[in-house]
Amino acid sequence: MTAATLAAPATPVRRTREGRWANVVLNVYMVIFFIYLFAPLLVMTLAAFNAYDYPSVTQWRGWTLKWFDALAGDTRILQGLRNSILVGIGVIAVSIPLGLSGAFILTRLQSRWNGVLYGVLVSPILTPGIILGISTLIFWRNFQVPGGLFLAMMAQATFIASYSMLMFLARLQRQDRSLEEAALDLGASSVHVFRRITLPFLAPTIFTAAVIAFLQSIENYNTTVFAIGGNWTLVTEIGSRFRFGLSPVINVIGVIFVVLTIIAATVYVILKERDRKARMAR
């Protein structure tokens, strides 16, 4: 009997042990990952209910809701939030049509220059936000447009439109164009084909791109701070307060956003589950 034959029966045992160690390592990694992910959120939430004058959980002064009242009376924060929402809506209105146009050009235009055009259209994503903000400010000053909400919207749309384009591009590459070609052969106009076939096909991506564009806009700082001028958004106002020390009001804002995110995610999952069940019932 050879040595290889004697060692063969031990192979399943070694595999079992290796599988157990792999599960242990994976479980430890997942625990560390979730602690790393949620510990800052837990600390931020606790600090929002701490009576101490600065964001802290180590110096506990008791539970309080006074920072929620302070947020309701902070006019600059509330105005910054309104400005952020206005800029975000404007970014959606600009970036979605631009991104969709770029995706149509790349998918419908058969040219050897498509690779170059793709690189040009994606380049704003790779450009530092500081450069985008400054270049937008310099460009629009030639037209006597000062810094403000409009320039912040245009500066953000320069790179958010590229993200939207990539999402539309991925969707259009999966489209079966035979329906469009059949409709055109039957005499339908290009506008009618787009409205009745292409647009419904792109509807889920349009909604997703709009949500992502809004979220990217509302959290953007590097680009916005150079184009906003004398105005401010929620993020730039929070950034400016770092120089003087933050109060737990900022933690309250974080708590509100976390709660809204959980509610939105829960509603989305419920709607998707209902849609899945409805499709299975057909």
Side-chain angles (χ1 to χ4, degrees):
M1 186 176 294
T2 62
T5 306
L6 292 173
T11 301
V13 177
R14 286 202 303 269
R15 289 179 178 176
T16 303
R17 292 176 179 175
E18 291 174 358
R20 290 176 179 174
W21 277 109
N23 289 333
V24 171
V25 172
L26 180 61
N27 291 333
V28 171
Y29 171 79
M30 293 299 295
V31 170
I32 295 175
F33 172 78
F34 281 111
I35 291 175
Y36 174 81
L37 188 65
F38 290 108
L41 296 178
L42 178 61
V43 171
M44 178 197 69
T45 302
L46 291 175
F49 297 94
N50 187 6
Y52 191 58
D53 290 336
Y54 297 96
S56 175
V57 293
T58 57
Q59 301 188 40
W60 192 258
R61 295 292 186 272
W63 296 92
T64 183
L65 295 176
K66 68 177 183 179
W67 304 118
F68 288 84
D69 295 332
L71 174 62
D74 196 323
T75 56
R76 284 191 64 87
I77 287 289
L78 296 179
Q79 182 62 43
L81 178 59
R82 285 191 288 268
N83 291 342
S84 295
I85 294 174
L86 290 176
V87 172
I89 294 173
V91 167
I92 292 174
V94 174
S95 62
I96 296 300
L98 287 179
L100 184 57
S101 301
F104 270 120
I105 291 174
L106 292 174
T107 54
R108 306 299 166 87
L109 180 64
Q110 301 299 326
S111 172
R112 61 180 181 177
W113 298 103
N114 272 21
V116 177
L117 183 59
Y118 175 83
V120 172
L121 295 177
V122 174
S123 61
I125 298 178
L126 307 176
T127 306
I130 295 175
I131 295 178
L132 293 176
I134 295 176
S135 59
T136 301
L137 184 63
I138 294 174
F139 174 81
W140 285 97
R141 275 187 177 178
N142 295 325
F143 301 95
Q144 307 301 317
V145 179
L149 298 182
F150 174 77
L151 284 195
M153 177 189 68
M154 298 304 296
Q156 292 179 9
T158 55
F159 72 94
I160 294 178
S162 297
Y163 283 107
S164 301
M165 184 199 71
L166 293 177
M167 298 178 65
F168 289 127
L169 191 62
R171 182 70 171 175
L172 288 172
Q173 287 174 343
R174 299 196 303 268
Q175 183 185 17
D176 183 7
R177 294 192 60 190
S178 61
L179 292 176
E180 292 183 349
E181 295 172 355
L184 292 172
D185 291 340
L186 292 173
S189 64
S190 298
V191 175
H192 188 75
V193 170
F194 176 79
R195 184 170 61 88
R196 298 299 299 271
I197 298 177
T198 309
L199 196 59
F201 177 77
L202 292 173
T205 306
I206 292 175
F207 174 77
T208 305
V211 172
I212 292 178
F214 182 80
L215 294 178
Q216 286 182 323
S217 170
I218 205 170
E219 61 86 27
N220 181 265
Y221 178 82
N222 291 342
T223 302
T224 306
V225 72
F226 288 96
I228 198 68
N231 247 309
W232 66 93
T233 62
L234 177 63
V235 175
T236 60
E237 176 62 19
I238 293 175
S240 66
R241 295 191 181 190
F242 269 100
R243 294 175 295 176
F244 309 104
L246 295 177
S247 74
V249 171
I250 309 302
N251 296 68
V252 173
I253 297 173
V255 171
I256 293 174
F257 275 108
V258 169
V259 172
L260 292 177
T261 302
I262 293 174
I263 293 174
T266 303
V267 171
Y268 176 78
V269 171
I270 292 174
L271 293 178
K272 291 291 288 185
E273 184 65 18
R274 287 182 179 177
D275 184 62
R276 185 186 67 83
K277 291 181 178 179
R279 290 180 179 180
M280 292 178 61
R282 292 176 184 174

